[in-house]
Amino acid sequence: MINPSALGPELEQQCILRVPKHIADILRKILSGDKSKSSNFSLTFDDERHCKLQLDETVMKGVVVDLPCVVESLKTLDRSLYYKSGDIGQMIIINDKTDIEEQPEEERIFDDEYHLKFGITPPTGRSYIRSKKRAKKRAKLGEIEEQFLRLLRSENESILADSFTLSSHDLFF
């Protein structure tokens, strides 16, 4: 038997769980401690990016995606003083109808590298797409700069080679 204290301190990780509205209502009642709604739910991970949410007899597939920017989470005890409790960088998206990865490319809300294309608030909408465009522009500028430096070096080498070219009659007068 493994002693839990021997494993070291437990680290708290926070993430956002996005589920369909009818599932969210059920989970909200379960987590609030409502005795009339006694459902069992579990979230199990197949690997680091894929999971399954089981709510009574219903099993839904989900995927873990990276948010385009880090979101701070805050806690309060008296609704006047808030303190930071963590940084959120990932979101679990649960879909009850179809497998999320089998959706057409234009309907998917994340790319092949599991980055969320749109943020969770309006100001962060399309932020990942904008940063990808900026990165492409920077890469293109880097390629242009490298090409310019290569041309400049070859020009300098040709000037030096032309000025130091000696013929045999130049050596012996």
Side-chain angles (χ1 to χ4, degrees), residues 16 18 67-69 71 91 116-130:
I16 298 171
R18 181 180 282 181
L67 295 174
C69 57
V71 179
M91 178 168 46
L116 193 66
K117 292 179 184 176
F118 307 102
I120 56 174
T121 60
T124 59
R126 300 182 52 83
S127 62
Y128 178 70
I129 295 170
R130 286 191 305 248

Side-chain angles (χ1 to χ4, degrees), residues 139-153:
K140 189 174 182 179
L141 286 176
E143 290 173 9
I144 292 171
E145 183 179 353
E146 287 176 13
Q147 186 178 8
F148 174 74
L149 290 174
R150 190 172 47 247
L151 289 172
L152 191 61
R153 274 189 227 112

Side-chain angles (χ1 to χ4, degrees), residues 56-85:
D56 289 332
E57 301 300 319
T58 310
V59 177
M60 294 163 277
K61 291 184 178 182
V63 65
V64 178
V65 296
D66 297 327
L67 295 174
C69 57
V70 176
V71 179
E72 291 183 347
S73 63
L74 304 172
K75 289 185 179 180
T76 183
L77 299 173
D78 56 0
R79 294 190 184 261
S80 64
L81 179 65
Y82 290 88
Y83 61 95
K84 181 180 174 181
S85 62

Side-chain angles (χ1 to χ4, degrees), residues 37-53:
K37 195 68 175 172
S38 61
S39 297
N40 293 325
F41 77 95
S42 66
L43 184 67
T44 57
F45 287 88
D46 300 334
D47 58 20
E48 63 184 27
R49 291 291 182 182
H50 300 89
C51 64
K52 291 180 184 172
L53 176 75

